[in-house]
Structures are given as C-alpha cells and as structure tokens.
Amino acid sequence: MSGKTLFEKIWDSHMIAEREGGEALLYVDRNLLHEGPFYAFDALKREGRQVHRPLQTIAFSDHYVPTTARAMGSAGIKDGEARVMVEQLARNSRATGIVHFGLQDEEQGIMHVAGAELGLCEPGMLMGGADSHTSTNGAFGLFGFGVGASQVKHILATQTLWFSKPKNMRVTVDGTLGPLVSGKDLILAIIAQIGIDGGIGHVIEYAGSAIRALSMEGRMTVCNMTIEAGARSGMICPDQTTYDYLGNTRYGPKGDDWKAALAYWKTLPTDADARFDREVRLDGNALEPMVTWGTNQDEAIGISGRVPEPASFADPARRERAAEAQAYMQIKPGTAMRDIAVDRVFIGSCTNARIEDLRIAAKLAQGQKARVPTIVVPGSMTVKRAAESEGLHEIFLAAGFEWRDAGCSMCTGSNGDKVPSGERCASTSNRNFEGRQGRGSMTHLVSPASAVAAAVTGRLADAREIA
Amino acid sequence: MSAVAAFTTFTAVAAPVFQANVDTDKLIPHKFLRKPLSAGYRNFLFYDQRFAEDGSEKDFILNRAPFDKAGILLSGRNFGCGSTREGAIYALQDFGIRCVIAPSFGDIFYANCLQNGLLPVVIGDAQAEKLNAHLEAHPGAQVSVDLAAQTVTLPYGETLRFEIDAQRKEQLLKGLDDIGITQQYSTQIDQFEAAHKKRQPWLFRAQPELTDTRATLKEGVS
Ligand code: SF4
C-alpha cells in the first residue's frame, strides 16, 4: 500500500461519515468569516437555528472597512450601505458569541492575513471560510477552502460540511528564484502554465526546492492564488519555516499544547511513496517577474515579453478570449509589456500585503518618487504597526505613496477605494477580471516589487531596472 | 427541515451567453453584494454588460426578447469561476434562470448551485458548441431538463445524459437542504468531536485572551 499525501491525511482525520454518491461529512476545525455572508446569519435567524460552536468561528471586518479616518468607528463610514455591512457583522458576531476583529480592533485585518499572523491557522486543520481565498492558509499545511453563504450557514449550524473528495495534484518547482522574483511571480507562472480552469476538482500541493525556500509570506501568496487556477485549495507540507513562524504568534498553542501540537504536525508531511493524480513541474531558475496582460490570471507573461498575438494560442477558445481581453484592456499584440503606461498603483490585498511584501516594496521605494497615484494598504493593523516600527511608512510617504489602514480596499473596491473607469492599475491583488477594481478598470497583476517599479516609472516595469 | 425549491423537470427558453470563464464578478459586480435580498437581484445579473453607467439598458442578449424570459442559460467552460459570492446564484434565479448548462463549472459555484436548487448541467465541449449554434440561429428555442432521468433534451430532438451526485440529485428532487440531512448524523458528529478533542485538545481550548479582549471592543453598535 502506498503512503498518504498531506491532503489525504487531513481528509481522513476529519471524516465523520461517507454516503452514497461519494460526498463525505467533514469536521470543520475552524471557520473564518467576513461581512459578505450576512445572508447566512439572516437565514439562521429565520430558521430558528443556533450557532453550534461559536468559539470555532472567527470574524474579520475587511471588505467594507474604510482605509482612512477610522477614529469615529463605523459611525464615520459615510457610505450608508458599507456602514450597515460593517455593523451587522459586529452585531451578528456579538449575538452569536463569535469572536470578531472589528473596525477598531488593534488586530483587525484581511481574514487571510490576520488569521495566520495571529496563529489561528495550524498544520493539519480543516478550515472553512466565507471566501475563496481561504486557500491561503494551506501554506501552513492545512486544508482551507471557501464556501458560499449557504454552506457558511451549514458550518455555523453544525460545524461540519458535506464535500466530495477532490483529486490531488502536485506542482513541483525546483531551482532557485532569481533576485526580485517572488512567490507572486511563481504562482502567476504556474497559472499561466496550467490555465485558469486547470485545477478544477483538485487540491494542489506545492513541493520542490523553490517552494521550500519561500518564507511563510511567499507560501501564503502561492496558496492564495491557487484558487485562480480553479483549484479547491493549495497546500504546502509544514516544515521548520512553518514551526518557526507559528512559535512567534500570539494565539497559537503554547507550553505543553505547543509540544503536543508540534509532535502531531511532524506526522503530516506527504509520505515519500504517496501518489498524486497529476504531477506538474516548473523550473524555478527560468522564471522572471510576471505580469498579466489580459482579464484572466493565466493571461500572464514575463515582464520582458510582449502582448501575445491571439492567433499564437493553439486552442480556439483561448484565441477568442485573448482577443476579447486585449480589446477590454485596450492593448495591442506585439506591444512590449514595459511600454504600457499605468495610471495608478495598488499595493495591498490578501495576496501581497504582509510585512515581507512591504519590506520589499520599501527597499525599492527608498529614495524614489511616485509618478502616478500609489496607495499602500497593509493587510492587517498588526502589519501596519510592524511596518511603522521599522520606519517603512516613512519611506513610502517620502516617495509620495499613500499609507492607509488595513482592509481589502482596491482589490475589489467594496469599501469605495476604486480604480476609476478607463484607468489602468498595476495591482498586487489576485483578480484582473473585467470591472474587478471598479467598472471599466483595467488591472495588471504584479508582485510588490514590480508594483513599486510601476509606481516610480509610470509604466509596467521590471523591478531590477530600478533596484 | 427548511426547504429549497424542488427541481424535477423544467422546460424553458435557453439563452446562449457562450463565453468561457464567466467569473462571478461578471455575474454580479461586488457593489451589489451589500443589497438585502428583498431588493431583488434580477437586474444585478451581468450588470455591466446589461446596463450603461447611467442605468440605461445596453444591447445585451438577456435584455432582448425572447431571452429576457430565458429560464436556462448556456455558457462556456469554467462558468462561475472566481469568488464564493452566492449573490451570483441569487441574481440568476431572480432573473428566472433555473438551470445552467456548460462544459465545466467553477467548483465553488457548482456547490452553491446545488445549495440553492439551481441545476448545473455539464455537457461536452462539442455538444455545447452545437447547441450554441442552434440557439443563435433559432432564438427562443427551448430546452427541457429531466433531473430524475438525468437528461437534457435539446431543441433538435437530441437527448443528452448528464452526471450528478446521487444524494444531491435526491435532495434537489425533494427540495431538501443539507442541515436537515446532517442532523440525522448528530450522534456520529458528537462521537467524532469527542474523539477529535481527545487527540488534539489544544484546538478546543477556549482562549480567554482572544475572546475577552474582543468582547470589550465597541463598534459603535449596540
Ligand atoms: S483582499 Fe481581495 S481577494 Fe482578498 S479577501 Fe479581500 S476582496 Fe477578497
């Protein structure tokens, strides 16, 4: 009998029952929420149901929070509907006994940034979340997945979920990433290779020397965007990097709990003789900084490249999609990516707003000046404080960048931080869909280093040019 | 047990919105996800495609008769990719769509469909293209779905079989929601939880520092 993968170990240890058809009832260790699934609380109330295990759910206000002028709390949110979203999560959390990191909490942040840095994500967990990017936390060697409001309701009411077992894919990246080539570039290259529907029905485990060499922040970026390849989740086996990170968190296990947890975590990595349904390989040595040219995440290319001819795609569907994307993005085939001027820059989101991202950005921004409006939105207030204690904010401010409070912000613009129609934005977020950053907005996904390069040159640029 | 609308058989005009990777931002822009369900989600569907910035109607297939009364949508690969937002489902249903046919679906969207009694039907690429060509040539052509038989009957008489999880099919046919079913497993859940707690007690430790500090924080909300 062959060994088990990390995913199989977690699946097996959380299975309560199986039923005809193949779905399994799984136990959910922890569940993360944001303001979005208010429908779930409304429905629970309507149906007269209780939250079964409130201590296993944690809520974060992130999508609708303002990134400036927070002193007045929610009363200071001018947009009435956004205020309702922030206040009703606070009210619903309080009424049901759920821990809530609200607008004025000193540890407030994007759920996929704050949860991990506080130590709420542990190897081996099965984690549900009200957001597709819950996959981010797979960087710790857990199985994290996003669900819609109805399944959020199911988790709240039962602490379980019915799930049909995904297939298991392994993406191995060996080699050494070059200077200023980051986890973001790596995941964009992976998505470009397997396609935005290449991961449907799969959980992806990342392995190989280039993955092992990534920090926890870099690993989170990779697992975060795994969802953009259509996969259910991304995961990385826990190792010393994971344990060192968790040993320094505020709410992670302590004392005897830490010892017991660590012993358990060490049993989790994929066995040497485990089998995967699909294997994909990438050469880390060959990668350069990546940037998207289209409206899907697989429409990405190295920064030294040119906007491709739609006819260059073998698949007719991709050809058509490329032509439509280029029309929306107002760019012509053959244009050098480095010749594309941008109107603004966003450094933030659950993909790239952790302390390491801001350190890289600040290092490059040192002594430079922004040519286009640039905002830096830390992923959490904890990240914000850490950055300020290191003086990073002073570098950003001196370069003419705006320095904001934590939240999702311009990733999707739900709090009002939008890219105006017809403007082009270099963004460290994860979705370049039509209208994602605001109606008529055009998004180029880039790493934090490339975002700074775009800010100070006013065009898409290779960070190595300005370093 | 709370009910979801049951799905048995359905015949309706099918609208071809035959694009690959229709993402949930396209199905419903984020700005509408703050609206209460009572607002009605019909007009939020494909909003940017259907309406100009000033709110006037654009020339988009779902704005035109007979497709403004479509009950079935045909689309391309990877339909519903992107976010978990169930607003995408609510908007489709409020428009009158009860079944989406596509060569593949985003995993989360597919699960959300089943939760809400919207039937996702997977057919092959070639069949989808043939159906698309027919629907474009014959506006208003109808498609029939029979969930019990797991078949779709196309306007040119061809009948295709589709796959669906046996238990999900049963639930859709009867309009049963998951929670009621899960509660039948409550003994197993309790037993599992007790054993799990014994194996990994630290996961269940109430953390006073985590809960107490948060409880004292005011949101300006009573
Ligand atoms: S930062 Fe963007 S992708 Fe991440 S949770 Fe917020 S809105 Fe979603």
Side-chain angles (χ1 to χ4, degrees):
Chain A
M1 213 184 95
S2 61
K4 285 185 183 181
T5 66
L6 166 65
F7 167 69
E8 287 167 335
K9 292 179 190 183
I10 298 176
W11 179 271
D12 292 350
S13 64
H14 289 80
M15 193 199 291
I16 301 164
E18 273 179 299
R19 69 181 182 194
E20 191 204 348
E23 287 190 26
L25 186 63
L26 302 176
Y27 191 76
V28 178
D29 293 318
R30 196 156 277 161
N31 177 42
L32 304 184
L33 292 183
H34 59 68
E35 306 96 317
F38 64 91
Y39 316 98
F41 285 103
D42 290 351
L44 283 177
K45 219 176 288 170
R46 213 168 41 236
E47 294 163 16
R49 300 187 198 276
Q50 303 293 315
V51 174
H52 183 58
R53 294 277 181 249
L55 289 179
Q56 285 165 249
T57 288
I58 305 198
F60 295 88
S61 294
D62 54 12
H63 281 62
Y64 293 88
V65 297
T67 51
T68 54
R70 285 208 179 153
M72 284 172 70
S74 62
I77 305 179
K78 287 195 202 74
D79 178 339
E81 287 179 337
R83 187 169 61 241
V84 167
M85 292 298 280
V86 170
E87 290 182 346
Q88 76 186 348
L89 179 61
R91 207 177 292 124
N92 283 329
S93 301
R94 188 170 310 174
T96 53
I98 289 171
V99 170
H100 172 225
F101 291 81
L103 177 60
Q104 290 185 304
D105 194 303
E106 61 173 18
E107 287 168 331
Q108 175 269 342
I110 307 172
M111 62 187 269
H112 316 300
V113 175
E117 79 194 349
L118 297 174
L120 301 172
C121 305
E122 293 175 26
M125 274 185 169
L126 190 128
M127 173 177 278
D131 192 283
S132 57
H133 295 104
T134 307
S135 65
T136 310
N137 303 316
F140 289 87
L142 60 76
F143 177 38
F145 52 82
V147 293
S150 298
Q151 290 187 308
V152 166
K153 180 181 82 170
H154 188 276
I155 296 174
L156 288 174
T158 67
Q159 208 56 39
T160 66
L161 196 70
W162 292 100
F163 213 100
S164 58
K165 191 175 182 179
K167 292 193 179 130
N168 213 181
M169 184 192 310
R170 177 162 58 188
V171 175
T172 305
V173 190
D174 281 316
T176 310
L177 301 185
L180 296 175
V181 178
S182 68
K184 179 64 159 285
D185 303 300
L186 184 53
I187 186 65
L188 283 171
I190 291 169
I191 300 169
Q193 178 165 333
I194 66 178
I196 61 160
D197 57 356
I200 287 185
H202 288 79
V203 163
I204 300 179
E205 179 183 319
Y206 296 96
S209 57
I211 298 289
R212 290 272 144 247
L214 290 174
S215 64
M216 283 317 297
E217 284 88 347
R219 295 177 185 190
M220 283 189 261
T221 302
V222 170
C223 291
N224 173 278
M225 283 196 71
T226 299
I227 208 76
E228 316 303 343
R232 213 60 181 80
S233 194
M235 325 176 73
I236 295 173
C237 292
D239 61 11
Q240 199 55 43
T241 305
T242 323
Y243 313 140
D244 289 346
Y245 184 100
L246 286 171
N248 286 317
T249 56
R250 185 151 175 209
Y251 304 118
K254 301 277 182 298
D256 285 346
D257 278 349
W258 170 264
K259 282 186 209 138
L262 187 62
Y264 170 64
W265 298 344
K266 289 187 170 170
T267 68
L268 292 167
T270 293
D271 298 330
D273 56 346
R275 284 211 214 106
F276 288 83
D277 299 295
R278 191 176 157 199
E279 297 262 11
V280 171
R281 287 186 175 276
L282 233 81
D283 178 7
N285 294 318
L287 289 179
E288 64 166 331
M290 299 289 289
V291 54
T292 60
W293 50 264
T295 54
N296 283 136
Q297 297 89 339
D298 57 357
E299 294 170 333
I301 195 167
I303 184 68
S304 66
R306 292 173 182 275
V307 178
E309 281 288 350
S312 67
F313 292 99
D315 174 4
R318 279 211 71 175
R319 229 176 279 160
E320 196 180 317
R321 169 148 80 83
E324 278 166 19
Q326 290 173 8
Y328 180 85
M329 294 296 289
Q330 302 176 19
I331 48 175
K332 297 221 158 31
T335 309
M337 293 310 296
R338 275 192 296 219
D339 286 342
I340 297 173
V342 299
D343 301 300
R344 62 179 64 234
V345 173
F346 170 55
I347 300 174
S349 90
C350 60
T351 312
N352 278 130
R354 299 187 179 81
I355 188 65
E356 180 188 81
D357 300 314
L358 300 191
R359 282 184 192 133
I360 291 167
K363 199 164 171 216
L364 286 161
Q366 176 96 55
Q368 305 268 9
K369 275 278 180 251
R371 292 208 186 186
V372 292
T374 299
I375 64 171
V376 185
V377 184
S380 71
M381 294 309 279
T382 309
V383 169
K384 182 169 191 187
R385 267 191 310 282
E388 291 185 347
S389 75
E390 296 173 24
L392 307 185
H393 66 309
E394 278 159 13
I395 298 174
F396 294 135
L397 290 168
F401 299 2
E402 280 186 61
W403 178 241
R404 302 279 187 93
D405 286 333
C408 295
S409 184
M410 207 174 274
C411 172
T412 184
S414 39
N415 72 337
D417 296 344
K418 290 189 185 180
V419 174
S421 187
E423 280 199 11
R424 188 182 299 283
C425 180
S427 176
T428 66
S429 54
N430 48 45
R431 290 192 172 136
N432 52 345
F433 299 157
E434 283 181 26
R436 168 76 178 181
Q437 293 188 286
R439 187 175 181 146
S441 61
M442 295 176 275
T443 305
H444 294 275
L445 301 176
V446 294
S447 71
S450 302
V452 172
V456 305
T457 59
R459 59 179 170 80
L460 296 175
D462 186 334
R464 295 170 296 193
E465 290 173 40
I466 63 158
Chain B
M1 192 177 298
S2 99
V4 185
F7 193 110
T8 50
T9 58
F10 185 56
T11 298
V13 168
V17 181
F18 202 59
Q19 306 160 10
N21 312 303
V22 171
D23 60 72
T24 53
D25 279 83
K26 207 176 246 178
L27 285 170
I28 180 169
H30 205 290
K31 64 182 173 197
F32 298 119
L33 300 176
R34 37 165 84 183
K35 301 284 184 191
L37 282 178
S38 57
Y41 273 45
R42 179 186 165 91
N43 278 346
F44 304 156
L45 181 68
F46 284 109
Y47 187 88
D48 287 356
Q49 266 86 6
R50 283 170 64 206
F51 300 97
E53 308 242 10
D54 65 3
S56 60
E57 277 198 9
K58 297 209 293 193
D59 180 31
F60 184 71
I61 176 166
L62 295 181
N63 289 341
R64 292 195 299 267
F67 300 113
D68 55 345
K69 304 232 161 40
I72 294 175
L73 196 76
L74 169 71
S75 197
R77 266 186 240 167
N78 199 23
F79 185 83
C81 61
S83 77
T84 59
R85 64 186 69 174
E86 234 165 85
I89 310 280
Y90 309 150
L92 283 161
Q93 288 183 314
D94 217 19
F95 188 87
I97 305 287
R98 295 198 59 204
C99 167
V100 180
I101 303 175
S104 63
F105 290 87
D107 287 333
I108 302 174
F109 181 87
Y110 188 91
N112 288 344
C113 280
L114 297 176
Q115 290 293 319
N116 289 281
L118 179 71
L119 184 67
V121 169
V122 176
I123 64 173
D125 279 305
Q127 289 155 337
E129 275 180 39
K130 185 172 166 197
L131 177 58
N132 177 50
H134 184 91
L135 295 178
E136 295 210 339
H138 304 87
Q142 298 201 329
V143 170
S144 293
V145 192
D146 183 338
L147 177 56
Q150 291 180 229
T151 56
V152 274
T153 302
L154 307 177
Y156 33 92
E158 204 172 313
T159 294
L160 304 176
R161 193 185 148 80
F162 63 89
E163 295 305 318
I164 185 166
D165 175 281
Q167 175 69 29
R168 288 287 160 198
K169 171 176 161 182
E170 203 51 33
Q171 282 181 237
L172 283 171
L173 285 169
K174 295 186 179 145
L176 305 178
D177 87 339
D178 273 16
I179 295 181
I181 308 252
T182 304
Q183 280 167 344
Q184 296 165 8
Y185 290 81
S186 59
T187 315
Q188 277 138 291
I189 296 173
D190 290 347
Q191 282 169 355
F192 178 92
E193 197 173 53
H196 199 49
K197 213 168 190 165
K198 225 168 169 180
R199 285 191 299 264
Q200 291 172 257
W202 65 90
L203 288 181
F204 296 85
R205 220 82 76 206
Q207 300 190 42
E209 207 192 347
L210 182 59
T211 47
D212 294 353
T213 48
R214 306 276 111 62
T216 62
L217 281 164
K218 295 264 184 306
E219 194 80 355
V221 182
S222 52

